Each structure stands twice: as structure tokens, then as C-alpha cells.
Amino acid sequence: MYVQTLPWVANYDENEVPPFVLPDVLKSVDGTPIKDTAAWEANRPALLEQFRKVMYGARLPLADKTEYTLLHEKKEALDGAAVMRQIELKFSMNNGRSHKAVMLLFIPAGATAEKPAAVFTGLTFNGNHVVNDDPDIIVTGTAGEEFRSFDRTPGAQTRRFPLKEMMARNYALAICSYHDFFPDAAAGWKKSILPLFISDEEFEPRPRNISAISVWAWGLSRMLDCLETIPEIDSTKAAVIGHSRLGKTALWAGAEDTRFKLVCVNDSGCGGAAPNRRLYGETLFCMCRQACDGFGHYWFTDTMFKDCEHPEDLPIDQHQLIALIAPRAVAVHSATEDQWADPRGEYMSLQNASPVYALYGKEILTATEPPAPDTPVGTDMSYFLREGKHDLLPSDWECYMNAFDHALKG
Ligand code: GCU
């Protein structure tokens, strides 16, 4: 049987996974059984609060003042398929502190105030300029440049954003750099949005009841606030999407902000869709005890740092986080060569959220075994195991857009 120790060696043998039991998703925080949607909704705030306490940290309030400034507009972007806008989001406090982020927006060419488009909302690694090679896209996310490798090449990650396909299916895309809200490093605290809400005295030792993931998720909600002011966007039809650590973030953002009608969770792995209790691939212990690049201790709270060794004692597991999305649509994707993220476990969490979706009469996933590679399954709750590596690719987007089509029909 596999035991977690340092130095870290991940387990990839199904036969070595220690047995575990997931918490009952239909049991409320106070122990009473949940039999209907009213009981689920009555329990929802307490469950959300448990996730805040144990894993992701507190939710930031709004800034005292938020202003949007159009920095640039191109009416014929993507060879005429889209209108491209770049909008500065400025958050200010009455004490004079302020912080900025830049949102890049592609709106399908045919969208109007009368016929507004639905929108995918997401964050990028690096900055907005990696999304497309249009030279007019402003290089953003530079606050993260001192902490990790930073590519200034326009369009460095175009494979992750099939913009023309999105525009053809009438979906807008709104993107910000995650570094604009919280540069992705432990020392990123000081250059994040946090100093707007936390005084210098409170800053050292660094606040521990909040995490980078909760700040990134907050940023996604603030992007949606801005989208609410854009006539050609129907912000009541917004999806949130994220890959990898940003997949963990999309899941948390979807739990915190019910305005997101579809939550797309790509290769999110440990701390995302993969069960905490299943010791396969990356685990919370590995992530938080700095065995894996030391990410976990600022992506999550101090509580997680302490509790990661014994996931079986945690009051929650990730299928309950997925259930917090219900009855809204959720799409979980994995990749065959991304065993680090535990594809089988990601499916298991999604499938184990089914009883809550069933309360709402949604179509659930009944199969306990994940589907074969490249065979998408489900509608309200959907799963896709892409053949290939850890990435976000056009075939993922095709399934996410299908899930969005379905959600919007409903
Ligand atoms: C590392 C980390 C994962 C994370 C991934 C990423 O592999 O261990 O938890 O999802 O980075 O965000 O790229």
C-alpha cells in the first residue's frame, strides 16, 4: 500500500491506492440527510464556507470604486470575424490604493445589443498577448515576469484559444492574465490585489486565510462585472474556463459565483477535480509540502498546509465542490498522458456529484467507470478524456462549446 513520504515519489499504480471513502454528498455539514433541493440549498452556504476555511480561503470584498476604460478597439479583428477590445479594470480604495488589470475581449462580428453573444471568461498563464498573434494586443501580466518564465511572443499559446471557431459558434472570449490579480509566486502577495484590502501591518507575516486561487477566482468575477456593462455581451450567459491551476481556479470561481452558468474545468488535477483522498499522481501533501515546486502553500490556505498529510480527515472532498456548481452545467476534462492530474479520479469526483444534480432533475453520469479516450459523455455534467498531454486544445473547446450550447438551450 502506498504511503506519502518525503522525498516525494508519486504513486501511479491503481493496486497501491489505499482504500478510501468519500464523504456522502447528500449529508449536510450538520450531519442531517439531504433529501431535496431546498435542503441542499439550505446547506450550501455552510459547505462553501468549509471549502473556504479548509482549502481556498476567504472571499475578498469589492473595491470601493471600480472603473472601466477602453484602451483599444479593433473593429475588424481575426480577419473580420470579431471585434477586439482591450479594457482596463481599475480597482481603487478610499485610502488611495489602486490596482489595475487589462481584459482582452473578442466579440463575434455579428453580435449586437439586440443579439448579444454568450461569453467564455478565463485567465491566461503569461499574459493576454499569448492568446493571439495580433500585434495590437497589449503585453499584460508583466507583474509575474520577475517570478517565472514569461513569454512576450504574441500568440505563444494560440493552440489554447481557437478564436475563429469560437466566433463562428457565436461565443465571445474574455481573458485576463492571472498575474494581473496575483503574480503566481509566494512573493507575489505584495504585487497582487491584496494590498487594497490588507494593511501593511497585517501583511507580515503574510495573511494565511486567503490564497492565490481565491484571488484569481475573485478576478474572474470582476471580469464578469465588467462584461455586464458591455451591450454586445449577454452576461447572463457566461461560462468560466480554466486549465491546470487555472482549472482549479475555474472550479472555485464557479462555486463562489453562481452567475457562471457553465464551469469548464480542464486538467485541474489535485486541488481541482481530483479527489483529495485518492493517493494517485499529485496529492495535496506533495503540493503543500513544497515537494512539487512549493506551489501549494500560497495556492491554498494555512489550514491546507497543516491538514494535507491526512486527507482522510478533511471534512470535504472535491466531488462536493463540483456539487456546489449544481444545477448549473459543469464540464470536466482530463488527458490520457496527464496521469499526474489523476484522470480516473477527476471522473470519479464528477460522477460522485451526480446525486445533487439528480435532485434538480438534471441528466447525471451513471457509469462508475470513465469513458474511453476521445469519447465525450454527458450533457448537464459532461466529461471528456482527451488522448494526449496536459494541455487545453481545440478538441477540448469543441466539447466545451457543445456543453455551452446544451446549457443555453436548457
Ligand atoms: C503543476 C502542479 C499542478 C498544476 C500544474 C499547472 O504540475 O503540480 O497541480 O495543476 O502545475 O498549473 O500547470
Side-chain angles (χ1 to χ4, degrees):
M1 203 85 71
Y2 176 75
V3 179
Q4 305 200 83
T5 49
L6 293 174
W8 182 257
V9 183
N11 171 45
Y12 290 115
D13 184 347
E14 282 297 337
N15 298 317
E16 293 296 317
V17 174
F20 63 96
V21 180
L22 292 178
D24 181 354
V25 75
L26 290 182
K27 195 163 165 192
S28 58
V29 170
D30 67 12
T32 52
I34 293 172
K35 298 212 169 84
D36 51 29
T37 56
W40 170 257
E41 275 162 32
N43 176 60
R44 195 179 182 282
L47 182 59
L48 192 61
E49 195 53 40
Q50 269 191 334
F51 275 99
R52 287 191 190 124
K53 265 211 183 106
V54 174
M55 290 191 79
Y56 303 107
R59 180 81 165 167
L60 289 176
L62 292 175
D64 291 333
K65 187 172 166 200
T66 306
E67 293 157 282
Y68 308 126
T69 309
L70 181 63
L71 301 178
H72 173 256
E73 178 179 53
K74 184 178 273 187
K75 291 228 159 72
E76 297 264 306
L78 306 177
D79 301 321
V83 173
M84 180 174 97
R85 287 190 197 144
Q86 301 183 78
I87 302 168
E88 181 187 272
L89 281 52
K90 183 176 177 197
F91 307 98
S92 319
M93 301 306 277
N94 295 336
N95 64 11
R97 292 187 178 192
S98 66
H99 189 95
K100 290 176 186 168
V102 177
M103 186 169 86
L104 171 65
L105 178 61
F106 290 94
I107 305 172
T112 60
E114 293 70 40
K115 267 187 69 187
V119 60
F120 280 97
T121 316
L123 297 171
T124 63
F125 292 92
N126 252 272
N128 294 346
H129 53 285
V130 302
V131 169
N132 186 261
D133 61 7
D134 187 316
D136 290 330
I137 298 177
I138 300 163
V139 174
T140 66
T142 50
E145 199 166 15
E146 68 175 274
F147 302 115
R148 41 185 74 249
S149 71
F150 191 86
D151 198 340
R152 286 181 168 256
T153 319
Q157 292 186 356
T158 45
R159 70 179 189 287
R160 290 194 173 161
F161 301 95
L163 287 165
K164 285 195 175 162
E165 283 86 339
M166 287 181 219
M167 299 305 125
R169 290 183 63 166
N170 208 28
Y171 286 117
L173 177 73
I175 283 287
C176 274
S177 167
Y178 74 148
H179 292 311
D180 275 11
F181 293 104
F182 192 121
D184 188 6
W189 290 97
K190 291 217 165 179
K191 286 191 165 179
S192 76
I193 187 103
L194 286 172
L196 259 61
F197 305 100
I198 293 166
S199 67
D200 292 344
E201 296 71 48
E202 286 167 310
F203 225 92
E204 301 293 354
R206 178 185 102 209
R208 298 282 194 162
N209 69 336
I210 193 150
S211 72
I213 289 181
S214 69
V215 172
W216 293 329
W218 180 91
L220 286 160
S221 291
R222 302 295 70 83
M223 291 166 70
L224 184 50
D225 296 345
C226 176
L227 292 168
E228 285 176 343
T229 69
I230 296 176
E232 301 93 333
I233 298 290
D234 184 348
S235 60
T236 67
K237 296 177 177 165
V240 61
I241 184 165
H243 169 63
S244 208
R245 69 200 68 180
L246 297 176
K248 309 182 209 301
T249 303
L251 188 51
W252 183 233
E256 282 277 19
D257 192 335
T258 56
R259 290 176 299 170
F260 291 115
K261 296 296 176 339
L262 165 68
V263 180
C264 304
V265 189
N266 203 73
D267 300 0
S268 61
C270 181
N276 303 322
R277 283 164 171 74
R278 200 175 115 86
L279 303 186
Y280 185 99
E282 186 179 30
T283 71
L284 290 170
F285 175 73
C286 158
M287 202 154 54
C288 292
R289 289 300 157 84
Q290 307 192 19
C292 311
D293 290 337
F295 290 139
H297 70 289
Y298 66 95
W299 286 356
F300 299 95
T301 60
D302 253 9
T303 317
M304 179 46 56
F305 187 81
K306 285 197 241 91
D307 294 350
C308 62
E309 220 161 316
H310 293 288
E312 69 281 7
D313 294 339
L314 293 175
I316 43 87
D317 213 308
Q318 302 306 94
H319 62 304
Q320 293 165 290
L321 179 56
I322 295 175
L324 285 170
I325 311 293
R328 295 165 292 136
V330 60
V332 172
H333 287 199
S334 314
T336 51
E337 291 172 42
D338 187 17
Q339 293 298 316
W340 180 240
D342 186 11
R344 190 181 185 79
E346 294 183 299
Y347 179 80
M348 189 181 285
S349 292
L350 179 66
Q351 205 265 326
N352 276 284
S354 292
V356 176
Y357 278 82
L359 291 179
Y360 286 95
K362 294 288 171 184
E363 197 185 318
I364 60 165
L365 292 168
T366 48
T368 51
E369 283 297 305
D374 288 341
T375 315
V377 290
T379 53
D380 300 321
M381 321 175 76
S382 56
Y383 180 80
F384 181 51
L385 174 62
R386 181 176 45 71
E387 190 78 67
K389 293 196 191 334
H390 183 72
D391 210 340
L392 172 61
L393 293 178
S395 57
D396 290 304
W397 277 99
E398 199 187 325
C399 295
Y400 290 133
M401 288 192 276
N402 290 345
F404 211 177
D405 287 353
H406 177 83
L408 297 180
K409 258 193 274 150

mmCIF file of all heavy atoms in Angstrom, residues 283-291 294-297 300-301 304-305 308:
data_model
loop_
_atom_site.group_PDB
_atom_site.id
_atom_site.type_symbol
_atom_site.label_atom_id
_atom_site.label_comp_id
_atom_site.label_asym_id
_atom_site.label_seq_id
_atom_site.Cartn_x
_atom_site.Cartn_y
_atom_site.Cartn_z
ATOM 1 N N THR A 283 -0.677 14.768 -4.996
ATOM 2 C CA THR A 283 -1.593 14.845 -3.845
ATOM 3 C C THR A 283 -1.403 16.192 -3.145
ATOM 4 O O THR A 283 -0.419 16.896 -3.378
ATOM 5 C CB THR A 283 -1.331 13.725 -2.815
ATOM 6 O OG1 THR A 283 -0.081 14.016 -2.169
ATOM 7 C CG2 THR A 283 -1.294 12.350 -3.457
ATOM 8 N N LEU A 284 -2.324 16.511 -2.266
ATOM 9 C CA LEU A 284 -2.239 17.787 -1.537
ATOM 10 C C LEU A 284 -0.961 17.843 -0.707
ATOM 11 O O LEU A 284 -0.329 18.885 -0.574
ATOM 12 C CB LEU A 284 -3.465 17.942 -0.632
ATOM 13 C CG LEU A 284 -4.785 18.194 -1.366
ATOM 14 C CD1 LEU A 284 -5.961 18.091 -0.404
ATOM 15 C CD2 LEU A 284 -4.783 19.538 -2.075
ATOM 16 N N PHE A 285 -0.595 16.717 -0.149
ATOM 17 C CA PHE A 285 0.622 16.656 0.659
ATOM 18 C C PHE A 285 1.829 17.054 -0.189
ATOM 19 O O PHE A 285 2.651 17.881 0.208
ATOM 20 C CB PHE A 285 0.783 15.229 1.201
ATOM 21 C CG PHE A 285 2.067 14.990 1.946
ATOM 22 C CD1 PHE A 285 2.261 15.515 3.213
ATOM 23 C CD2 PHE A 285 3.073 14.209 1.386
ATOM 24 C CE1 PHE A 285 3.440 15.284 3.901
ATOM 25 C CE2 PHE A 285 4.255 13.980 2.073
ATOM 26 C CZ PHE A 285 4.447 14.513 3.329
ATOM 27 N N CYS A 286 1.903 16.469 -1.356
ATOM 28 C CA CYS A 286 3.002 16.777 -2.268
ATOM 29 C C CYS A 286 2.998 18.266 -2.610
ATOM 30 O O CYS A 286 4.017 18.945 -2.554
ATOM 31 C CB CYS A 286 2.837 15.930 -3.527
ATOM 32 S SG CYS A 286 3.668 16.568 -4.966
ATOM 33 N N MET A 287 1.813 18.782 -2.928
ATOM 34 C CA MET A 287 1.709 20.161 -3.390
ATOM 35 C C MET A 287 2.018 21.162 -2.278
ATOM 36 O O MET A 287 2.716 22.138 -2.481
ATOM 37 C CB MET A 287 0.296 20.397 -3.923
ATOM 38 C CG MET A 287 0.188 21.542 -4.868
ATOM 39 S SD MET A 287 -1.199 21.343 -5.986
ATOM 40 C CE MET A 287 -2.519 21.089 -4.890
ATOM 41 N N CYS A 288 1.507 20.891 -1.082
ATOM 42 C CA CYS A 288 1.644 21.865 0.007
ATOM 43 C C CYS A 288 2.984 21.771 0.725
ATOM 44 O O CYS A 288 3.467 22.754 1.253
ATOM 45 C CB CYS A 288 0.514 21.695 1.008
ATOM 46 S SG CYS A 288 -1.054 22.168 0.303
ATOM 47 N N ARG A 289 3.573 20.599 0.762
ATOM 48 C CA ARG A 289 4.844 20.480 1.483
ATOM 49 C C ARG A 289 6.037 20.791 0.594
ATOM 50 O O ARG A 289 7.147 20.329 0.830
ATOM 51 C CB ARG A 289 4.976 19.087 2.099
ATOM 52 C CG ARG A 289 4.042 18.863 3.259
ATOM 53 C CD ARG A 289 4.304 19.862 4.376
ATOM 54 N NE ARG A 289 3.135 20.021 5.218
ATOM 55 C CZ ARG A 289 2.828 19.217 6.226
ATOM 56 N NH1 ARG A 289 3.592 18.219 6.521
ATOM 57 N NH2 ARG A 289 1.741 19.449 6.936
ATOM 58 N N GLN A 290 5.789 21.536 -0.429
ATOM 59 C CA GLN A 290 6.830 22.069 -1.288
ATOM 60 C C GLN A 290 7.602 20.998 -2.034
ATOM 61 O O GLN A 290 8.658 21.260 -2.586
ATOM 62 C CB GLN A 290 7.791 22.945 -0.478
ATOM 63 C CG GLN A 290 7.035 23.997 0.287
ATOM 64 C CD GLN A 290 7.924 25.057 0.881
ATOM 65 O OE1 GLN A 290 9.053 25.225 0.453
ATOM 66 N NE2 GLN A 290 7.408 25.780 1.843
ATOM 67 N N ALA A 291 7.085 19.755 -2.006
ATOM 68 C CA ALA A 291 7.766 18.732 -2.788
ATOM 69 C C ALA A 291 7.602 19.045 -4.267
ATOM 70 O O ALA A 291 8.468 18.742 -5.066
ATOM 71 C CB ALA A 291 7.175 17.371 -2.466
ATOM 72 N N GLY A 294 6.701 23.866 -4.422
ATOM 73 C CA GLY A 294 6.237 24.785 -3.388
ATOM 74 C C GLY A 294 5.044 25.637 -3.772
ATOM 75 O O GLY A 294 4.833 26.720 -3.233
ATOM 76 N N PHE A 295 4.229 25.151 -4.707
ATOM 77 C CA PHE A 295 3.066 25.927 -5.130
ATOM 78 C C PHE A 295 2.008 26.025 -4.036
ATOM 79 O O PHE A 295 1.438 27.063 -3.788
ATOM 80 C CB PHE A 295 2.355 25.241 -6.298
ATOM 81 C CG PHE A 295 3.093 25.250 -7.592
ATOM 82 C CD1 PHE A 295 3.104 24.125 -8.398
ATOM 83 C CD2 PHE A 295 3.742 26.397 -8.019
ATOM 84 C CE1 PHE A 295 3.755 24.131 -9.610
ATOM 85 C CE2 PHE A 295 4.396 26.411 -9.234
ATOM 86 C CZ PHE A 295 4.409 25.267 -10.036
ATOM 87 N N GLY A 296 1.749 24.841 -3.465
ATOM 88 C CA GLY A 296 0.539 24.671 -2.666
ATOM 89 C C GLY A 296 0.407 25.646 -1.525
ATOM 90 O O GLY A 296 -0.699 26.045 -1.171
ATOM 91 N N HIS A 297 1.520 26.068 -0.962
ATOM 92 C CA HIS A 297 1.399 26.865 0.251
ATOM 93 C C HIS A 297 0.942 28.297 -0.005
ATOM 94 O O HIS A 297 0.639 29.007 0.935
ATOM 95 C CB HIS A 297 2.692 26.817 1.079
ATOM 96 C CG HIS A 297 3.830 27.549 0.451
ATOM 97 N ND1 HIS A 297 4.463 27.094 -0.672
ATOM 98 C CD2 HIS A 297 4.428 28.699 0.778
ATOM 99 C CE1 HIS A 297 5.425 27.948 -0.986
ATOM 100 N NE2 HIS A 297 5.408 28.928 -0.135
ATOM 101 N N PHE A 300 -3.165 27.614 -1.632
ATOM 102 C CA PHE A 300 -4.184 27.211 -0.659
ATOM 103 C C PHE A 300 -3.930 27.916 0.664
ATOM 104 O O PHE A 300 -2.982 28.690 0.798
ATOM 105 C CB PHE A 300 -4.157 25.683 -0.481
ATOM 106 C CG PHE A 300 -4.449 24.946 -1.755
ATOM 107 C CD1 PHE A 300 -3.421 24.489 -2.569
ATOM 108 C CD2 PHE A 300 -5.750 24.741 -2.169
ATOM 109 C CE1 PHE A 300 -3.691 23.837 -3.764
ATOM 110 C CE2 PHE A 300 -6.030 24.086 -3.363
ATOM 111 C CZ PHE A 300 -4.998 23.635 -4.156
ATOM 112 N N THR A 301 -4.778 27.604 1.642
ATOM 113 C CA THR A 301 -4.650 28.261 2.953
ATOM 114 C C THR A 301 -3.664 27.515 3.851
ATOM 115 O O THR A 301 -3.244 26.403 3.563
ATOM 116 C CB THR A 301 -6.000 28.227 3.674
ATOM 117 O OG1 THR A 301 -6.363 26.854 3.823
ATOM 118 C CG2 THR A 301 -7.067 28.971 2.918
ATOM 119 N N MET A 304 -4.829 24.082 4.927
ATOM 120 C CA MET A 304 -4.486 23.015 3.983
ATOM 121 C C MET A 304 -3.052 22.566 4.192
ATOM 122 O O MET A 304 -2.743 21.386 4.151
ATOM 123 C CB MET A 304 -4.702 23.525 2.552
ATOM 124 C CG MET A 304 -4.383 22.555 1.461
ATOM 125 S SD MET A 304 -5.047 20.913 1.717
ATOM 126 C CE MET A 304 -6.776 21.268 1.929
ATOM 127 N N PHE A 305 -2.176 23.520 4.468
ATOM 128 C CA PHE A 305 -0.775 23.180 4.707
ATOM 129 C C PHE A 305 -0.664 22.198 5.877
ATOM 130 O O PHE A 305 0.113 21.252 5.856
ATOM 131 C CB PHE A 305 0.027 24.453 4.991
ATOM 132 C CG PHE A 305 1.500 24.209 5.094
ATOM 133 C CD1 PHE A 305 2.282 24.089 3.947
ATOM 134 C CD2 PHE A 305 2.106 24.081 6.330
ATOM 135 C CE1 PHE A 305 3.640 23.838 4.039
ATOM 136 C CE2 PHE A 305 3.473 23.836 6.423
ATOM 137 C CZ PHE A 305 4.234 23.715 5.271
ATOM 138 N N CYS A 308 -2.910 18.592 4.968
ATOM 139 C CA CYS A 308 -2.707 17.860 3.717
ATOM 140 C C CYS A 308 -2.183 16.437 3.916
ATOM 141 O O CYS A 308 -2.362 15.582 3.056
ATOM 142 C CB CYS A 308 -1.781 18.636 2.809
ATOM 143 S SG CYS A 308 -0.161 18.867 3.526
#
